Amino acid sequence: MRFFHGLLIVLGCGVGAISAAEPAGKVIRESWDAAFLDGEKSGHFHTTIRELTRGGQTIITTTRELELSVRRQGQIATIKAQTGDEESPDGKLLGVWMTQMLGTNVQVKLSGRVVGGMLKDTLEGSSVPGNKVEREIKIPDDTLTFSGEETLLKTRKAKPGDRLSYRLFEPFANTVVRVEVAVKDWEKVPLNGVIRVLLRVEAKPEKIEGVQLPSQTLWYDEDYNLVLSQGEIPGLGELTLRRTTEREAKAPLGKLRDLGDLSIVLDKPIADAHRTRKVVYRVNFAKDMEDTANIFSVGDDRQEIQNATERSLELHVTAVRIPPKKPSNELISKEYLASNFFITSDDELVRKHAKAAVGTENDPWLKSKAIERWVKQNMKPMVFTEAMAPADHVARTLTGDCTEFAMLAAAMCRAQGIPSRTAIGAVYYLDRGQAKLGYHMWTEVLVRGQWLAIDATLGYGSVGPAHVKITDASWHDVRSMLPLMPVMRVMSGKPRMEVLRVERD
């Protein structure tokens, strides 16, 4: 019932092999699921349940291997991840693990044990030794394991009309999530060329960070075996998992849609968009949206939302290109200066690059612009085998897309004592004459109390109204992709935008 990995594909996926050790023990159940995006074969899931003995205690382990592919700018980007858990024979969660590719030879590994109702886990990156964070998470008694989730209906002897609720630990978000389940009715469903009578079930996870996670529709056979599931992944389309054989699950990929067109369409071009002073956009959503007055970032001087309804809003975006003349007395939160798992500003090579970029410059805004210029000149763009790689890894490869450019620039700024964060939103571009806003990440720095934007991917020295901001993140104490959830919320509304007014200097 877990579709949350769909968000990771939107970000771009690392290509490489998972090197996690295979758990020992006797295989007691195994299954394969073929994965389809909008009807095209895109990958597979492999689930293995084993029984083993450790310290005289019987342990049940469940391992799920995920491989999903999309096409980006003509390149195949593949997410490979392995998740798993351990449970007691009575279904109590004992431990969890996850290995996920973030780039070439870059893995993020999560592992944890449940002790006294608390999950004590560690997230560690493989690119540079020592880059890890630890956390404690309360695990409620009704938290299900992987196998417990799949056998829930059979355990509860569910029937049409029943409503169930449970919680699970979701490793991709590194948090506990509640799921509401509605058991519908038996219905005829075409499956593998045969009409089957299956039990329809609808599962809806709770919101995380104010963002509704994707819902799923699932179909079970008369023995409560899950055989089919479907759900809409914002930006990707409909993801279908179909229980099948290993051979069919590993069948060749279909005609994958190119996510290069994953963007917001504008009604007309904006001349010299990146040099413009102000643009007023009207954003129209394909469905009713909640809290549209806060769906785009409005916490700084760049953006303002007006005339918001459930289906539309006006977004006023103004360029802020220079800091105030006088410094601010406002205290700076340490989270924007400290090194963390993703913005590894204390890494030796990151600090070396930062020093080379700024030279003898002392002014923080000029230093920030020098760092933007250095990253633009030294990084190799458009490498989609990288995805949210930590800055210490990027400092060594100097490859990636906008996420790597933004992370490295933010880390280099912090290495020079400049508070920084990443901004996530969309940026203007022309696609064969069609004006669009493509989903994008850039860097913001705090200079004399004013947040100012730089974009090392473009290297213009500042950011104007051609950048539409959805959210920002310091990445402090973060062990997952949760800061990117607001982007998923915007994408779920399938927005289109009109250019109402352009103001020039």
Side-chain angles (χ1 to χ4, degrees):
M1 295 185 190
R2 306 183 185 214
F3 269 29
F4 315 133
H5 48 258
L7 174 61
L8 303 178
I9 306 172
V10 177
L11 305 176
C13 313
V15 176
I18 296 295
S19 61
E22 186 73 10
K26 179 180 67 176
V27 175
I28 58 177
R29 191 161 73 247
E30 185 176 19
S31 63
W32 290 87
D33 294 280
F36 302 84
L37 283 171
D38 284 339
E40 293 291 341
K41 180 69 166 52
S42 61
H44 64 266
F45 280 56
H46 178 211
T47 303
T48 309
I49 302 177
R50 293 177 170 85
E51 181 182 292
L52 58 90
T53 302
R54 182 188 301 140
Q57 180 183 11
T58 299
I59 304 292
I60 308 298
T61 69
T62 300
T63 303
R64 298 193 75 193
E65 296 168 287
L66 156 69
E67 183 173 320
L68 284 170
S69 298
V70 294
R71 187 180 300 276
R72 293 186 61 189
Q73 301 289 345
Q75 302 179 38
I76 298 294
T78 302
I79 180 172
K80 294 185 178 182
Q82 185 183 87
T83 59
D85 61 26
E86 293 184 353
E87 62 183 290
S88 62
D90 61 353
K92 293 294 184 182
L93 182 66
L94 302 177
V96 299
W97 70 85
M98 176 191 73
T99 303
Q100 177 195 344
M101 297 303 298
L102 288 185
T104 307
N105 300 319
V106 184
Q107 295 180 354
V108 168
K109 296 183 178 182
L110 179 146
S111 61
R113 306 295 301 172
V114 178
V115 179
M118 300 293 294
L119 174 65
K120 299 181 179 181
D121 69 17
T122 300
L123 191 70
E124 185 171 7
S126 65
S127 58
V128 179
N131 184 13
K132 64 181 181 180
V133 290
E134 298 177 343
R135 185 185 185 191
E136 287 191 355
I137 304 170
K138 182 174 176 57
I139 300 295
D141 290 339
D142 63 347
T143 302
L144 293 183
T145 61
F146 279 110
S147 63
E149 183 187 21
E150 186 154 321
T151 59
L152 175 65
L153 267 66
K154 186 174 184 178
T155 302
R156 303 277 184 92
K157 298 180 180 178
K159 59 185 182 301
D162 285 354
R163 304 189 75 87
L164 312 174
S165 178
Y166 66 94
R167 282 179 279 204
L168 56 87
F169 176 76
E170 173 46 54
F172 290 114
N174 199 17
T175 190
V176 175
V177 178
R178 177 175 290 280
V179 180
E180 302 293 335
V181 177
V183 183
K184 296 301 184 177
D185 208 342
W186 297 91
E187 62 183 28
K188 294 181 179 179
V189 180
L191 183 65
N192 298 326
V194 178
I195 299 298
R196 301 276 302 275
V197 178
L198 302 172
L199 181 62
R200 180 188 179 99
V201 175
E202 296 177 357
K204 183 178 181 180
E206 67 181 336
K207 294 180 180 180
I208 295 183
E209 303 290 318
V211 179
Q212 179 61 59
L213 294 173
S215 298
Q216 288 178 259
T217 302
L218 310 104
W219 287 270
Y220 292 78
D221 66 16
E222 61 277 6
D223 295 320
Y224 292 107
N225 296 313
L226 178 62
V227 295
L228 183 68
S229 61
Q230 290 181 341
E232 183 76 16
I233 302 296
L236 288 180
E238 185 178 74
L239 176 61
T240 300
L241 303 180
R242 189 178 71 205
R243 188 63 46 92
T244 186
T245 64
E246 177 180 358
R247 180 179 178 180
E248 291 185 358
K250 291 183 174 181
L253 299 177
K255 187 177 181 181
L256 301 177
R257 178 169 65 93
D258 197 316
L259 295 188
D261 64 5
L262 184 62
S263 56
I264 303 172
V265 175
L266 290 173
D267 66 329
K268 58 187 175 185
I270 304 172
D272 204 16
H274 291 283
R275 308 296 180 187
T276 298
R277 186 180 72 85
K278 181 176 181 179
V279 176
V280 179
Y281 302 93
R282 176 179 287 119
V283 186
N284 300 299
F285 298 102
K287 64 177 184 178
D288 289 348
M289 302 288 288
E290 295 181 4
D291 194 23
T292 51
N294 293 295
I295 198 167
F296 292 94
S297 175
V298 290
D300 53 36
D301 296 334
R302 288 189 67 246
Q303 296 187 171
E304 179 185 6
I305 291 177
Q306 296 182 12
N307 303 321
T309 70
E310 291 180 339
R311 286 278 184 121
S312 68
L313 59 89
E314 284 184 15
L315 182 63
H316 297 240
V317 187
T318 304
V320 180
R321 302 187 189 274
I322 58 174
K325 293 182 179 180
K326 295 183 179 181
S328 170
N329 294 324
E330 184 178 353
L331 293 176
I332 300 172
S333 175
K334 293 181 180 179
E335 68 183 271
Y336 298 110
L337 286 165
S339 183
N340 59 45
F341 183 83
F342 286 100
I343 302 179
T344 46
S345 55
D346 61 357
D347 176 72
E348 182 179 353
L349 190 54
V350 170
R351 299 177 72 85
K352 180 179 178 180
H353 289 336
K355 186 175 181 179
V358 303
T360 60
E361 182 58 61
N362 293 316
D363 180 84
W365 178 229
L366 296 180
K367 287 166 72 172
S368 301
K369 295 172 72 171
I371 287 171
E372 179 201 58
R373 184 167 56 252
W374 189 96
V375 175
K376 169 66 175 177
Q377 292 174 348
N378 287 276
M379 278 195 65
K380 180 181 178 181
M382 302 298 284
V383 177
F384 296 119
T385 55
E386 305 291 346
M388 295 301 301
D392 51 6
H393 171 75
V394 182
R396 284 155 178 79
T397 65
L398 293 179
T399 58
D401 59 15
C402 64
T403 57
E404 283 67 53
F405 279 69
M407 288 291 188
L408 180 58
M412 289 171 63
C413 287
R414 290 189 191 183
Q416 284 290 309
I418 304 168
S420 69
R421 64 191 184 190
T422 62
I424 305 114
V427 66
Y428 177 89
Y429 72 104
L430 283 175
D431 179 15
R432 296 184 294 274
Q434 173 65 65
K436 296 181 178 179
L437 289 170
Y439 291 100
H440 189 55
M441 182 183 289
W442 59 98
T443 307
E444 293 183 332
V445 294
L446 188 64
V447 180
R448 296 195 284 275
Q450 174 72 60
W451 283 106
L452 297 163
I454 56 175
D455 187 344
T457 305
L458 298 179
Y460 293 153
S462 64
V463 163
H467 285 68
V468 173
K469 181 176 167 182
I470 296 173
T471 188
D472 56 62
S474 70
W475 299 91
H476 173 70
D477 201 29
V478 170
R479 303 157 183 81
S480 68
M481 302 301 169
L482 286 181
L484 302 163
M485 293 297 292
V487 177
M488 195 176 190
R489 181 186 174 205
V490 172
M491 293 172 68
S492 70
K494 300 180 180 179
R496 296 180 69 88
M497 295 175 64
E498 303 171 53
V499 179
L500 299 183
R501 188 169 75 251
V502 178
E503 297 180 10
R504 308 185 186 280
D505 291 326

